[in-house]
């Protein structure tokens, strides 16, 4: 499926998402959409079977003014790519990657002016964050909380309200290169 050039707005009741990928969903392309004023801009979750989204692409989307996080990857089976998106003005995190997500790529995104952390990786593993601009967020720019085997490379991380990068709770085997 290709989802292109849409405005998806004002889905903010009881945790509603602008875009929800649930279960064994793959091969979708989300291109040049505006996701505005939703509870979550984009959310990826598993179904009861345990299968989670994989091999989906989000590119050149504008994800703004979410009541929670702009992107919440609660669970993934990997190979999801988030490229050249703008995430700004979200009340929570710009991007939140949770414990049951793995092997996703975030590249060339602008993550700015979010209420909390720009990119929060929570007890997760094997992600790549490359060439993102992570700016002016209300807390830290990037937090690796118990995260392992993740690459942060060539990111511009500056002028956040707290630390640029925070490693806590056993974060290990991560490569932070030329940020």
């Amino acid at each position: 499926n290709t989802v292109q050039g849409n405005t998806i707005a004002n889905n903010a009741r009881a945790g509603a998402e602008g875009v929800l990928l649930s279960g064994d969903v793959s091969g979708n392309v989300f291109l040049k959409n505006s996701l505005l004023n939703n509870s979550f801009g984009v959310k990826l979750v598993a179904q009861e079977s345990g299968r989670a989204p994989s091999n989906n692409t989000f590119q050149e989307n504008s994800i703004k003014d979410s009541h929670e996080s702009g992107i919440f990857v609660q669970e993934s089976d990997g190979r999801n790519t988030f490229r050249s998106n703008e995430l700004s003005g979200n009340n929570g995190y710009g991007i939140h990657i949770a414990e049951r997500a793995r092997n996703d790529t975030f590249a060339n995104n602008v993550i700015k002016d979010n209420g909390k952390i720009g990119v929060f990786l929570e007890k997760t593993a094997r992600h790549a964050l490359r060439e993102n601009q992570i700016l002016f967020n209300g807390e830290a720019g990037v937090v690796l909380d118990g995260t392992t085997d993740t690459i942060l490379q060539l990111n511009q991380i500056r002028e956040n309200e707290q630390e640029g990068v925070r490693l806590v709770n056993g974060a290990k085997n991560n490569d932070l290169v030329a940020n």
Side-chain angles (χ1 to χ4, degrees):
N1 299 308
T2 299
V3 180
Q4 182 174 355
N6 298 286
T7 298
I8 303 170
N10 301 318
N11 300 292
R13 291 189 182 190
E17 300 83 7
V19 172
L20 172 65
L21 299 186
S22 178
D24 190 9
V25 178
S26 66
N28 297 290
V29 176
F30 295 85
L31 180 63
K32 296 183 179 181
N33 297 290
S34 294
L35 298 122
L36 310 169
N37 196 38
N38 301 294
S39 279
F40 294 91
V42 174
K43 188 174 182 181
L44 279 63
V45 299
Q47 288 183 327
E48 290 180 19
S49 66
R51 295 299 311 251
S54 65
N55 199 32
N56 297 288
T57 301
F58 291 83
Q59 185 168 331
E60 297 180 42
N61 298 289
S62 176
I63 305 169
K64 296 181 177 181
D65 302 324
S66 301
H67 294 203
E68 301 291 334
S69 297
I71 295 172
F72 182 27
V73 183
Q74 185 172 350
E75 293 132 339
S76 80
D77 283 341
R79 296 182 321 277
N80 295 295
T81 301
F82 298 84
R83 183 182 312 114
S84 301
N85 299 291
E86 181 182 346
L87 295 101
S88 66
N90 300 295
N91 288 336
Y93 310 115
I95 298 172
H96 182 185
I97 308 166
E99 184 173 357
R100 293 178 303 271
R102 64 182 192 276
N103 296 324
D104 296 316
T105 300
F106 300 82
N108 298 97
N109 298 292
V110 176
I111 305 154
K112 66 178 186 174
D113 296 316
N114 296 290
K116 293 185 178 179
I117 298 164
V119 181
F120 181 37
L121 293 101
E122 182 181 21
K123 298 175 184 73
T124 188
R126 297 182 303 278
H127 295 284
L129 283 78
R130 291 188 172 98
E131 299 183 56
N132 297 290
Q133 293 181 47
I134 304 168
L135 317 165
F136 311 115
N137 294 289
E139 294 179 12
V142 178
V143 173
L144 283 77
D145 180 348
T147 295
T148 61
D149 304 309
T150 291
I151 297 169
L152 275 73
Q153 183 177 30
L154 298 170
N155 297 288
Q156 185 181 117
I157 305 168
R158 63 181 174 83
E159 298 185 57
N160 297 287
E161 291 295 320
Q162 296 177 3
E163 302 87 359
V165 177
R166 181 187 314 152
L167 289 84
V168 296
N169 297 325
K172 62 183 177 182
N173 299 326
N174 299 296
D175 291 326
L176 285 73
V177 180
N179 293 290

